Amino acid sequence: MTRGDSDPPALPHHVAIIMDGNGRWAKMRGLPRVEGHRRGTRTVREVVECARELGIPYLTLYAFSIENWGRPKPEVRTLMSLLREFLLRELPLMERHRIRLRVIGDTAVLPLPVRRILSRTIAATAGHGEMTLTLGLSYTGRNEIVRAARKIAAEATRGEIAPEDITEALFSSHLDTSGMPDPDLVIRTSGELRISNFLLWQSAYAEFVFTDVLWPDFGKPEFRRALDEYAHRHRRFGLTGDQAGPSPRR
Ligand code: FPP
């Protein structure tokens, strides 16, 4: 089957974003770095709304890595309070649009007020099925993989599973993203060409779109451009081009 002119372009089922460039955005304007994060929070809302409007069922945002704990304390404090404010402010948006909140990462180390509002928002939105918004908080891919390995090892020690039961599917089900589809598209802003420890296991066959735009300047037009680029990619999943089916038309 070939795609005709009237076919809708392929929409990713799961988009994951490495939101980068807040500090540079602020520096270019002679502002403190935290102003970049503040503006970046507005972008988060815009992109969440856009994904929901378009009907993308899964959106995952890398909001705070484990390495980010090493940043200056006032910056970490501001990021934590921006996150709290965002969750308090945007609950009505999540209610209105039936968006479910999830979190991935080593969240036990987050400050108590953040954990409280996270649990409240996760519980309040648990029944929403239109879109899942997942925040990576105190997250890195390697840490997630190690925590999954520990859980599996504990089950093996208790005699609940045998080594031969450990399959890719079983491993996936012990990751923080359990039950979620792998990302089809990973976007990174700000011109950096790295994965920075994000969704290492899950992005095995993801398409990547890198843009020079800094996160506070990223909005609906740039998001749509990234989706359009994705729609023109030929995903082969290790097969030959012929086996994988027709290439999308340019
Ligand atoms: C990277 O930019 C961005 C972060 C480490 C934090 C991202 C946080 C937000 C967008 C706001 C809060 C999040 C939510 C979900 C409400 P950078 O500081 O590394 O930028 P730089 O590379 O230019 O210094």
Side-chain angles (χ1 to χ4, degrees):
M1 201 177 78
T2 54
R3 290 174 55 200
D5 284 337
S6 57
D7 290 341
L11 202 62
H13 207 60
H14 183 177
V15 178
I17 308 183
I18 303 174
M19 309 180 288
D20 196 12
N22 293 349
R24 275 163 287 166
W25 183 93
K27 195 171 175 198
M28 280 162 62
R29 287 160 180 80
L31 297 169
R33 291 178 53 81
V34 291
E35 283 310 311
H37 297 315
R38 211 176 294 283
R39 273 298 291 259
T41 307
R42 273 162 59 173
T43 308
V44 170
R45 185 194 163 106
E46 193 172 331
V47 168
V48 169
E49 278 191 313
C50 187
R52 178 66 184 84
E53 274 163 28
L54 293 168
I56 293 169
Y58 291 90
L59 177 69
T60 300
L61 304 174
Y62 202 5
F64 194 85
S65 73
I66 290 181
E67 284 81 14
N68 289 155
W69 289 115
R71 291 192 176 200
K73 284 201 165 40
E75 181 170 340
V76 171
R77 265 200 301 272
T78 304
L79 278 166
M80 291 300 140
S81 51
L82 283 174
L83 179 69
R84 246 184 103 238
E85 285 166 24
F86 173 84
L87 294 171
L88 284 168
R89 198 177 51 237
E90 304 303 354
L91 181 60
L93 174 97
M94 293 188 238
E95 304 264 354
R96 195 165 61 247
H97 291 305
R98 314 280 308 151
I99 298 171
R100 174 182 175 195
L101 183 79
R102 267 184 80 156
V103 63
I104 53 172
D106 191 6
T107 51
V109 298
L110 290 167
L112 187 61
V114 175
R115 275 186 280 141
R116 277 210 193 106
I117 179 76
L118 272 172
S119 322
R120 276 213 298 271
T121 316
I122 289 168
T125 63
H128 297 172
E130 294 297 324
M131 178 177 142
T132 301
L133 168 65
T134 304
L135 300 180
L137 290 173
S138 194
Y139 175 86
T140 62
R142 286 186 178 181
N143 171 271
E144 180 192 29
I145 289 167
V146 167
R147 284 186 290 107
R150 282 191 190 151
K151 286 180 233 169
I152 294 168
E155 287 171 20
T157 307
R158 292 195 297 266
E160 292 162 10
I161 54 167
E164 54 277 16
D165 295 330
I166 303 173
T167 59
E168 291 188 12
L170 181 119
F171 204 93
S172 291
S173 73
H174 286 74
L175 292 169
D176 297 345
T177 50
S178 172
M180 282 166 59
D182 286 344
D184 302 294
L185 169 64
V186 177
I187 302 171
R188 182 170 189 146
T189 58
S190 92
E192 308 294 347
L193 307 179
R194 305 187 273 276
I195 191 164
S196 296
N197 219 340
F198 186 47
L199 299 179
L200 295 181
W201 172 281
Q202 299 87 340
S203 62
Y205 283 101
E207 295 293 325
F208 284 78
V209 169
F210 296 99
T211 167
D212 287 338
V213 176
L214 304 175
W215 179 250
D217 291 329
F218 191 86
K220 290 187 184 180
E222 287 76 24
F223 189 47
R224 282 174 172 277
R225 247 193 300 280
L227 295 174
D228 189 53
E229 194 173 329
Y230 169 83
H232 290 99
R233 298 276 176 90
H234 190 205
R235 302 186 77 189
R236 291 195 284 273
F237 299 97
L239 303 178
T240 67
D242 286 346
Q243 286 176 308
S247 173
R249 288 149 44 90
R250 280 244 165 230

